[in-house]
Amino acid sequence: MYFCAFQNQFYMAKSKPSAANNNEPRVSTLTRWKLFFQSSTTHFVIGLFLLGFTLYSGISMISFFFTGAADQSKVDGLSFFHYGTIAGIQNWTGMRGAILSNILMNELFGISTFFLLIFFFFVALRLMKARYVRLLRNFIIYAILMIWSSAALSFFFGRFFRDTALYIGGKHGFLTSQLLKDNFGIPGTVLIIFLVFAIIMITINTETVPFMRRLFKLSPKVGLKDEQDSKKESYYNEATFPGQKKKGPFSFLRRKKKEKIIPIETHPEILIEDNTQDDKPFILEREEDSEKEFEIINSLEEEEVFAANNNEEERDLIPKNPIADGSEEEEHKRLLDELGVYDPTLEPSHYEFPTLDLLVKYDSSDTQVNYEEQTENKNKIIKTLENYGIKIKSIKATVGPTITLYEIVPEEGVRVSKIRNLEDDIALSLAAIGIRIIAPMPGKGTIGIEVPNKEPKIVSMYSILASRKYQESNFELPIALGKTITNEVFMVDLAKMPHLLVAGATGQGKSVGLNAAITSLLYKKHPAVLKFVLIDPKMVEFSIYSVIEKHFLAKLPDEEHPIITDFTRVIYTLNSLTKEMDDRYTLLQKAGARNVKEYNDKFVNRRLNPLKGHKFMPYIVVIIDEFGDLIMTAGKEIELPIARIAQKARAVGIHMIIATQRPTTNIITGTIKANFPARVAFRVTSMIDSRTILDGPGANQLIGRGDLLFFQGSDTTRVQCAFVDTPEVDKISKFIGNQKGFPTAFELPEYSGEQGTDASGTIDLSDRDPLFEEAARLIVIQQQGSTSLIQRKFSIGYNRAGRLMDQLEVAGIVGPTQGSKPRDVYVVDEYQLEQKLNSLK
């Protein structure tokens, strides 16, 4: 069976079995069966069988309406497992289907049994992970509806089916309705049925009470306050994420009528205006320094709306602004008592965090200690030191997944620098690469020698996320990088770092490290409290996350793709983030909060009024891959907004992770280093690159394949990065993407740049760039309308090259943009170009 292979695959992979492997613990049969039934494949197969049974039952019940009368006498009283065959069965699904449909329709709940089949259908989809369904909630709803409708159908329509083969409410409905009539009579039974229906609807949908008051034409004085309270609660729960209004069972009863708008202001009185032209749904807009109007009444009937008129009696029905009548503190307490703490995770509804079974689980026995290797290395280290006249008191080893740390205590009088200078000699004697000497060990009276293991172990992402340290962490933005030399899970809080610089040579684990950081955040944070801005100049690293666009990603309003790959859009996005940062600081100033955590705490406790522009602020994590490529292309236009964000954005919940494979001084400038105190260094090729990242050597002595140094302040920690493979990331992304998300990705503020890209109507050719003619000749000679071509040939920035290209477009030399393709060149030779340039003069 496949679960047996799953348990033993890593035992079989051993190339040199040792004596210790003969004593490996065997997995019990009970554990194997438990793993078998916990497998997602098993769930899928069970769901597939349940789906087939549901469809089969549904077809048999539909066929019962047409063939039930002919088959009833043959199958009545038979069990579904009846042995033998019955001739003359007309049901479309055969004898078993005829027996099953007779049991479901007549012996149980009649037509109401379809509710049971609907529930089975959703259970099958849940097991197959085709759709997320809350099983307990749906079971209760469909069970109550099935029981109630069975009795109601039998009571109201049972007499019409007395002479047919169908009990419309089944035997349950017949007996229940008969019992009610015997005890309460016909009028009492009718009242009970409608009362139960009303209670069911009130439980399912909070809008039922206002609907019933309007339906029964109750006095406005009776229904106004509760309806306004309901609207207010809906507003506070939806204003932060526009367009997320919930639709209940009564949504289909709403009739399209003209709507009324009540503009809410901060003045003592609430005025009423009639604005029937605006029929947009309730949306909280993001315009600055402007009065906002919100639609808070969406009525069924135009004549039932409290319209703007001169009737003072109706005007008195609208309450005064409660904040004006009392203190704001009392109003905040009243809202908190009535509505409770605001929960930003209500949308998207029923969100389910990724499960650990999406990750690969490696065998725990791989952490066995090779004592022979330890003893051999200890003896070689002692012998090498003695050859140079260095005696030691003691030596002990700490075994990690890929590195073993040997701590030695030298005799008195031995110079530490003498041991440090023997690094190459120790590496030669051990025949190992990546030897690193830490002399002395911080906080200890020992000298550390880090030696790579002959058989390094893989640190799986499963072992990190399943650890108690990760599960119980209370970090705001937990990033689990891997395991230390002592096999402890290494975690950091991005919110406290507050930005992270990642560097390393090609193929040393940077992309895996970024995926590990993203994965650890996805497993811990809700889409409502965290957003990612993913910038990927290589176009392939982050494309796998595009399916979670409507859950976790943020982008510009007019951006087509959720992953930013174009250099121009990168510049616009970074400048948009600076604008978002400034907007958040303005809200923090109004709220009297020092950071985003204090601000959100005030908002969830109803101390900030959304009508004054306040909103819940999710954390925004900006992740940039191949930062060096961006700097070489756009230079200061990229570096300046990044420096602004790195300097100021910590307090407003915007954090950055940038990665580069070229850790040179022209890429990682002094401005970048000064604002990125936390750094992760994978293996680099030279000590100069290591000094650029860590301000010291060490990164050039790593062994690669996820071996990293984490540096913050003056502390450096060696960590083996957790391995998360692309198929695992794909499963996690699809698991999240298949769930209900927001209508759109989180929208950043608009940023138009210095000139529009389609500026044919706004560019004045009388004020042409000094390089206009030279650029035109270059384009015509090369017959390639490329902005990057102008940028490279004339050594100018991307913005100026873009403006030159816009001027060439207005002059009719090149065509409009075509996405990633070069523009068409309309001028075929230099002679035609000279004529066009002369005409412009």
Side-chain angles (χ1 to χ4, degrees):
M1 302 176 76
Y2 71 88
F3 58 89
C4 298
F6 175 77
Q7 286 294 317
N8 297 315
Q9 57 181 329
F10 294 103
Y11 292 109
M12 300 295 294
K14 299 283 185 181
S15 59
K16 295 181 179 180
S18 61
N21 291 336
N22 297 330
N23 298 323
E24 292 173 353
R26 293 183 176 272
V27 180
S28 65
T29 304
L30 180 62
T31 304
R32 290 179 177 177
W33 279 107
K34 183 179 179 181
L35 291 173
F36 173 75
F37 284 108
Q38 289 177 348
S39 169
S40 59
T41 304
T42 305
H43 292 172
F44 186 88
V45 173
I46 295 175
L48 196 61
F49 274 108
L50 184 59
L51 180 63
F53 173 76
T54 303
L55 295 176
Y56 178 82
S57 303
I59 295 173
S60 68
M61 289 173 62
I62 294 173
S63 175
F64 185 86
F65 291 110
F66 306 98
T67 62
D71 295 339
Q72 186 176 22
S73 60
K74 303 173 184 176
V75 300
D76 193 25
L78 297 181
S79 168
F80 179 75
F81 302 100
H82 171 74
Y83 179 77
T85 58
I86 303 175
I89 296 296
Q90 298 184 18
N91 192 285
W92 304 338
T93 54
M95 181 191 72
R96 300 296 172 190
I99 296 174
L100 178 63
S101 60
N102 182 68
I103 294 173
L104 295 176
M105 297 290 281
N106 286 337
E107 299 296 329
L108 294 180
F109 299 94
I111 296 178
S112 303
T113 311
F114 279 104
F115 284 116
L116 181 64
L117 297 187
I118 295 173
F119 174 72
F120 284 165
F121 178 75
F122 285 136
V123 172
L125 294 182
R126 168 69 182 270
L127 289 171
M128 298 168 67
K129 293 189 177 179
R131 179 176 178 179
Y132 174 74
V133 180
R134 295 181 62 180
L135 296 183
L136 180 60
R137 178 178 181 273
N138 281 272
F139 172 76
I140 295 173
I141 290 174
Y142 287 121
I144 293 175
L145 286 175
M146 181 174 65
I147 294 171
W148 171 84
S149 61
S150 171
L153 288 173
S154 181
F155 176 77
F156 288 111
F157 304 104
R159 61 181 181 274
F160 299 111
F161 293 86
R162 289 176 179 173
D163 299 328
T164 66
L166 171 66
Y167 287 172
I168 191 170
K171 185 175 291 186
H172 167 270
F174 173 78
L175 296 176
T176 304
S177 61
Q178 192 65 40
L179 180 65
L180 291 174
K181 284 190 292 185
D182 293 343
N183 286 274
F184 301 100
I186 293 179
T189 303
V190 172
L191 288 176
I192 290 174
I193 290 175
F194 279 103
L195 179 61
V196 172
F197 175 75
I199 294 174
I200 293 173
M201 291 298 102
I202 291 172
T203 304
I204 294 175
N205 187 8
T206 57
E207 294 184 1
T208 304
V209 174
F211 169 78
M212 293 178 64
R213 283 173 174 160
R214 290 192 295 266
L215 183 66
F216 292 112
K217 307 290 185 181
L218 296 179
S219 169
K221 292 184 179 180
V222 177
L224 175 63
K225 185 178 187 305
D226 289 338
E227 182 172 352
Q228 286 183 339
D229 288 344
S230 176
K231 293 294 181 181
K232 184 185 297 183
E233 180 176 1
S234 176
Y235 165 72
Y236 270 96
N237 283 327
E238 297 168 6
T240 306
F241 301 103
Q244 298 296 310
K245 190 167 185 178
K246 301 177 181 178
K247 295 183 179 180
F250 278 99
S251 299
F252 66 95
L253 296 175
R254 292 178 177 262
R255 292 176 288 184
K256 296 293 182 180
K257 290 292 181 180
K258 296 181 180 179
E259 300 171 358
K260 300 299 177 180
I261 299 176
I262 296 183
I264 304 295
E265 302 182 12
T266 57
H267 301 295
E269 294 184 355
I270 299 179
L271 303 179
I272 302 179
E273 295 181 4
D274 187 0
N275 187 1
T276 57
Q277 295 179 354
D278 188 1
D279 57 354
K280 296 180 181 179
F282 168 69
I283 294 178
L284 179 61
E285 301 179 350
R286 301 186 59 168
E287 302 184 51
E288 299 179 0
D289 302 326
S290 62
E291 296 295 331
K292 301 175 179 62
E293 294 184 347
F294 305 93
E295 299 174 354
I296 61 171
I297 294 183
N298 184 2
S299 178
L300 293 175
E301 298 289 345
E302 181 178 6
E303 61 269 19
E304 293 171 2
V305 178
F306 299 103
N309 51 43
N310 297 324
N311 190 332
E312 295 297 332
E313 183 179 355
E314 283 188 287
R315 183 181 293 272
D316 292 338
L317 296 177
I318 300 178
K320 303 293 183 181
N321 191 337
I323 297 180
D325 292 341
S327 66
E328 291 191 9
E329 188 67 26
E330 293 177 355
E331 172 63 12
H332 295 152
K333 291 181 179 179
R334 187 184 67 82
L335 288 175
L336 189 61
D337 292 339
E338 292 182 2
L339 305 179
V341 175
Y342 169 75
D343 185 6
T345 61
L346 292 177
E347 291 293 339
S349 59
H350 314 316
Y351 176 77
E352 186 178 28
F353 286 89
T355 56
L356 290 176
D357 60 359
L358 301 174
L359 300 170
V360 176
K361 181 180 179 181
Y362 292 94
D363 198 283
S364 59
S365 65
D366 276 355
T367 59
Q368 291 182 9
V369 177
N370 191 333
Y371 294 102
E372 295 180 1
E373 180 183 348
Q374 278 189 42
T375 304
E376 182 181 357
N377 288 340
K378 284 181 182 180
N379 295 332
K380 287 182 178 179
I381 291 173
I382 294 173
K383 183 178 180 181
T384 303
L385 294 176
E386 288 180 348
N387 291 338
Y388 291 92
I390 300 174
K391 296 183 179 181
I392 62 174
K393 293 181 179 179
S394 63
I395 181 171
K396 68 175 182 177
T398 304
V399 182
T402 57
I403 300 294
T404 298
L405 173 64
Y406 296 90
E407 295 183 59
I408 63 175
V409 179
E411 292 281 356
E412 294 181 1
V414 176
R415 297 173 61 89
V416 174
S417 59
K418 190 175 182 181
I419 298 177
R420 188 187 297 117
N421 294 333
L422 296 176
E423 183 175 303
D424 294 335
D425 299 282
I426 296 175
L428 178 63
S429 65
L430 296 176
I433 60 172
I435 296 291
R436 196 168 76 104
I437 295 181
I438 309 171
M441 293 282 292
K444 299 181 179 180
T446 60
I447 296 174
I449 302 175
E450 294 177 346
V451 181
N453 297 333
K454 292 182 180 179
E455 295 182 3
K457 314 302 180 188
I458 296 178
V459 177
S460 66
M461 199 67 198
Y462 178 93
S463 64
I464 302 297
L465 300 186
S467 65
R468 183 174 181 179
K469 183 174 182 180
Y470 177 83
Q471 295 292 335
E472 297 180 356
S473 69
N474 55 0
F475 290 167
E476 292 295 324
L477 295 174
I479 293 182
L481 289 177
K483 289 186 177 181
T484 63
I485 292 178
T486 57
N487 277 302
E488 295 179 357
V489 174
F490 184 78
M491 290 180 57
V492 290
D493 189 357
L494 182 61
K496 293 181 179 179
M497 284 197 281
H499 310 288
L500 182 63
L501 174 63
V502 182
T506 303
Q508 302 304 317
K510 291 190 310 301
S511 298
V512 175
L514 293 179
N515 286 331
I518 296 174
T519 300
S520 57
L521 290 172
L522 292 177
Y523 267 82
K524 202 71 173 177
K525 308 305 290 185
H526 190 276
V529 300
L530 174 64
K531 301 296 175 184
F532 290 101
V533 175
L534 301 181
I535 299 175
D536 181 18
K538 290 196 297 188
M539 304 184 186
V540 295
E541 291 295 340
F542 293 149
S543 60
I544 199 170
Y545 295 107
S546 58
V547 295
I548 62 173
E549 172 186 357
K550 296 182 179 180
H551 300 79
F552 281 100
L553 299 189
K555 63 177 185 177
L556 293 172
D558 57 343
E559 192 71 48
E560 294 183 8
H561 304 290
I563 312 299
I564 300 100
T565 57
D566 183 71
F567 293 111
T568 306
R569 309 310 295 175
V570 172
I571 296 172
Y572 285 6
T573 302
L574 292 175
N575 283 281
S576 174
L577 284 167
T578 61
K579 190 173 185 299
E580 173 74 14
M581 176 184 68
D582 295 335
D583 294 344
R584 289 190 172 198
Y585 267 113
T586 301
L587 292 177
L588 258 66
Q589 182 184 18
K590 292 180 180 179
R594 294 180 300 174
N595 52 56
V596 68
K597 187 175 181 180
E598 292 182 7
Y599 178 90
N600 286 337
D601 184 63
K602 288 187 176 183
F603 188 87
V604 298
N605 286 285
R606 313 283 182 180
R607 300 180 62 84
L608 300 177
N609 189 356
L611 300 178
K612 295 182 180 180
H614 292 291
K615 60 186 178 181
F616 183 85
M617 293 184 188
Y619 285 98
I620 298 178
V621 178
V622 185
I623 303 180
I624 304 176
D625 195 15
E626 296 301 335
F627 174 69
D629 197 15
L630 295 177
I631 288 292
M632 293 184 65
T633 306
K636 293 292 184 182
E637 296 174 273
I638 291 287
E639 185 179 353
L640 290 178
I642 287 179
R644 281 203 66 205
I645 294 171
Q647 289 170 355
K648 294 178 58 180
R650 170 182 183 173
V652 293
I654 301 177
H655 306 274
M656 300 191 71
I657 302 175
I658 62 176
T660 179
Q661 65 178 356
R662 288 194 292 259
T664 56
T665 53
N666 61 333
I667 301 299
I668 305 177
T669 62
T671 305
I672 297 297
K673 288 181 64 175
N675 294 289
F676 283 79
R679 303 164 201 167
V680 169
F682 290 88
R683 185 183 182 185
V684 295
T685 55
S686 67
M687 185 179 295
I688 297 177
D689 291 342
S690 177
R691 292 186 183 276
T692 303
I693 308 168
L694 303 175
D695 298 327
N700 57 312
Q701 299 168 321
L702 300 176
I703 63 174
R705 299 190 65 182
D707 190 18
L708 65 90
L709 291 174
F710 178 81
F711 172 82
Q712 186 172 18
S714 59
D715 298 330
T716 303
T717 306
R718 192 165 186 174
V719 180
Q720 177 61 39
C721 183
F723 179 71
V724 53
D725 204 0
T726 303
E728 298 175 71
V729 177
D730 184 50
K731 290 180 182 178
I732 296 169
S733 300
K734 289 181 179 178
F735 180 88
I736 298 173
N738 290 335
Q739 301 183 52
K740 177 187 175 184
F742 299 107
T744 61
F746 183 84
E747 291 188 353
L748 299 173
E750 292 187 7
Y751 177 80
S752 58
E754 298 181 22
Q755 290 284 358
T757 56
D758 300 323
S760 59
T762 60
I763 293 178
D764 184 10
L765 288 180
S766 62
D767 185 22
R768 297 190 296 273
D769 192 282
L771 295 175
F772 176 79
E773 294 187 6
E774 296 182 45
R777 292 188 179 93
L778 174 67
I779 294 297
V780 172
I781 292 173
Q782 299 289 337
Q783 285 294 302
Q784 180 183 2
S786 171
T787 305
S788 58
L789 175 65
I790 297 176
Q791 185 181 358
R792 292 195 306 272
K793 292 295 183 181
F794 298 109
S795 300
I796 59 177
Y798 192 87
N799 276 1
R800 186 179 179 185
R803 290 195 297 273
L804 272 169
M805 188 61 69
D806 291 336
Q807 293 175 1
L808 292 173
E809 178 187 351
V810 175
I813 298 174
V814 298
T817 58
Q818 305 181 61
S820 60
K821 297 181 181 178
R823 299 175 184 240
D824 294 330
V825 182
Y826 293 156
V827 179
V828 295
D829 53 32
E830 292 187 69
Y831 176 74
Q832 184 181 354
L833 174 63
E834 292 299 329
Q835 289 182 326
K836 188 172 285 292
L837 293 177
N838 291 333
S839 65
L840 293 176
K841 295 179 181 178

